[in-house]
Amino acid sequence: SEGAITPDVNGIYKFEVSDAAAKKHTITFTATTTEQSNNTGTASIDVTVEAGTPQNLKFDDKVLSSIVYGDSLALVVSSDQAAAKGDYTFNVTSGKATISNTNVLKPTAAGDVVVTVSRAADENYSFATVMKTIKVTPRPLKAEVAAFAPKTYDGNVTATVPDITLSADYKVIGSDAVSIATNNVSATYASKNVGTHAISLSALTLT
């Protein structure tokens, strides 16, 4: 920038550099005499602006590396420079999740979520950033199987599949629509002989 500089009470000219990038800057001074000749002179000086003191960010140990879909996670980050004043910014840079204005992570699907936290530079400390990958595992659900009806001996191990529903003990998250596909489920007795036998169900799938 340009501007006139006036001396202080001791006749010393001072020029303050602010908001300058961390690099070498050349400042040029032009002096004009008040004599009738109105002579001018130019001088330059190189000023190197150093970057602020580095700072390192770290997630709190309470910020887990894995949570279950449907759960939330408070994101807490600190700097190793207690005197730093820059604002923190929290972002999801990969995966499906949101972060509230109180820095709480809420996954919207299972899978890996990458969170990036940055802190702005201030007058003494440099910009810093830290990343963390949080694995969001599928939420467990439980099936409830109605009682099997008795069977008359027919020489095979096939059993009639009863009603199968999701247990109310396991919460489905939000407006997620989840049900058990039973059209291809089969049930099998441990023995074809007359008696009381264990019954096995084929694998259940969710829709």
Side-chain angles (χ1 to χ4, degrees):
S1 63
E2 298 181 357
I5 307 174
T6 56
D8 62 15
V9 294
N10 298 313
I12 298 175
Y13 291 81
K14 295 182 179 180
F15 182 76
E16 181 178 340
V17 178
S18 62
D19 298 327
K23 64 178 184 179
K24 182 179 179 180
H25 299 266
T26 298
I27 301 175
T28 302
F29 299 92
T30 300
T32 303
T33 67
T34 58
E35 298 175 357
Q36 190 173 5
S37 60
N38 199 37
N39 293 327
T40 62
T42 301
S44 297
I45 184 173
D46 290 334
V47 177
T48 300
V49 179
E50 300 289 346
T53 301
Q55 60 175 317
N56 296 303
L57 305 183
K58 178 186 177 182
F59 281 91
D60 189 271
D61 291 341
K62 294 181 180 179
V63 181
L64 305 177
S65 296
S66 177
I67 61 173
V68 176
Y69 169 67
D71 293 345
S72 58
L73 182 64
L75 302 173
V76 181
V77 173
S78 60
S79 169
D80 61 352
Q81 299 293 345
K85 300 176 182 178
D87 292 333
Y88 287 97
T89 301
F90 293 73
N91 288 298
V92 173
T93 50
S94 178
K96 297 181 178 180
T98 61
I99 299 178
S100 71
N101 56 8
T102 55
N103 305 326
V104 175
L105 179 74
K106 186 72 174 179
T108 56
D112 288 348
V113 173
V114 178
V115 175
T116 300
V117 181
S118 58
R119 193 176 197 187
D122 58 26
E123 63 271 20
N124 295 315
Y125 295 92
S126 61
F127 171 87
T129 185
V130 65
M131 299 175 64
K132 186 179 182 71
T133 299
I134 298 168
K135 182 175 292 294
V136 182
T137 60
R139 191 170 193 85
L141 295 176
K142 181 180 179 181
E144 289 186 346
V145 181
F148 284 85
K151 173 184 176 179
T152 302
Y153 175 78
D154 60 4
N156 63 61
V157 295
T158 303
T160 301
V161 178
D163 290 337
I164 304 174
T165 57
L166 288 173
S167 172
D169 295 336
Y170 287 70
K171 183 176 67 173
V172 174
I173 304 303
S175 59
D176 290 352
V178 182
S179 61
I180 299 175
T182 59
N183 53 319
N184 292 319
V185 176
S186 60
T188 306
Y189 285 96
S191 172
K192 67 179 180 179
N193 298 325
V194 174
T196 301
H197 306 290
I199 302 174
S200 299
L201 282 172
S202 62
L204 303 177
T205 57
L206 298 176
T207 59

